[in-house]
């Protein structure tokens, strides 16, 4: 019973850190603006590589959790659903949220090893769902 409680606490900690990893990735990606569009129009637009930036930073941020993950951070980031909403008023088909400004969203399933759960006849890997979005300010 104690092992299960410790495993659950560890899982909650890894889940919080995975959500923070996605959150930070969206902040960096939305902050990477398209300089040419800004100079031409004065309007903020995410850079053309905002999706790649979000994936790269998500993987980089997950590196600290690599020992607890069942797949590599690069594989998790590659499989993440990353969306860039370049115009105000766009609706996220995944969440139904309408963004009043340009935004970047990351949604991912992060597989976490839970060996103590396996000893209790529960799954040895638990998927943590993360969803993060950041809008231009």
């Amino acid at each position: 019973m104690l092992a299960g409680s410790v495993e659950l606490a560890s899982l909650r900690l890894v889940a919080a850190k995975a959500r923070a990893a996605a959150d930070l990735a969206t902040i960096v990606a939305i902050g990477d603006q398209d300089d040419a569009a800004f100079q031409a129009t004065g309007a903020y637009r995410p850079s053309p590589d905002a999706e790649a930036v979000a994936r790269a930073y998500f993987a980089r941020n997950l590196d600290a959790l690599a020992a607890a993950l069942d797949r590599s951070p690069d594989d998790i980031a590659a499989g993440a659903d990353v969306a860039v909403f370049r115009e105000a008023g766009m609706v996220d088909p995944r969440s139904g949220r309408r963004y009043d400004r340009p935004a970047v969203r990351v949604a991912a399933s992060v597989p976490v090893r839970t060996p103590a759960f396996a000893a209790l006849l529960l799954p040895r890997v638990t998927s943590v769902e993360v969803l993060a979005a950041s809008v231009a300010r």
Side-chain angles (χ1 to χ4, degrees):
M1 191 63 154
L2 178 62
S5 296
V6 171
E7 188 76 83
L8 182 59
S10 175
L11 177 62
R12 290 176 57 102
L13 180 63
V14 171
K17 289 181 177 183
R19 281 190 287 278
D23 223 14
L24 291 170
T26 62
I27 290 168
V28 170
I30 197 64
D32 185 24
Q33 74 175 354
D34 184 341
D35 293 329
F38 183 74
Q39 288 176 357
T41 66
Y44 176 83
R45 295 288 177 261
S47 70
D49 66 344
E51 180 180 340
V53 169
R55 284 185 198 284
Y57 274 86
F58 187 40
R60 184 180 299 174
N61 295 336
L62 287 174
D63 277 342
L65 303 174
L69 303 177
D70 195 52
R71 293 188 0 235
S72 75
D74 288 333
D75 286 346
I76 295 168
D81 179 10
V82 179
V84 179
F85 303 95
R86 299 189 181 283
E87 303 291 330
M90 294 183 76
V91 176
D92 184 344
R94 185 179 193 109
S95 68
R97 181 177 177 191
R98 182 180 181 275
Y99 296 106
D100 294 331
R101 299 183 184 123
V104 175
R105 187 255 301 136
V106 172
S109 181
V110 180
V112 180
R113 291 187 191 114
T114 49
F117 284 177
L120 298 171
L121 303 177
L122 295 169
R124 71 167 200 83
V125 175
T126 302
S127 289
V128 172
E129 300 300 317
V130 297
L131 177 65
S134 294
V135 297
R137 301 263 177 202

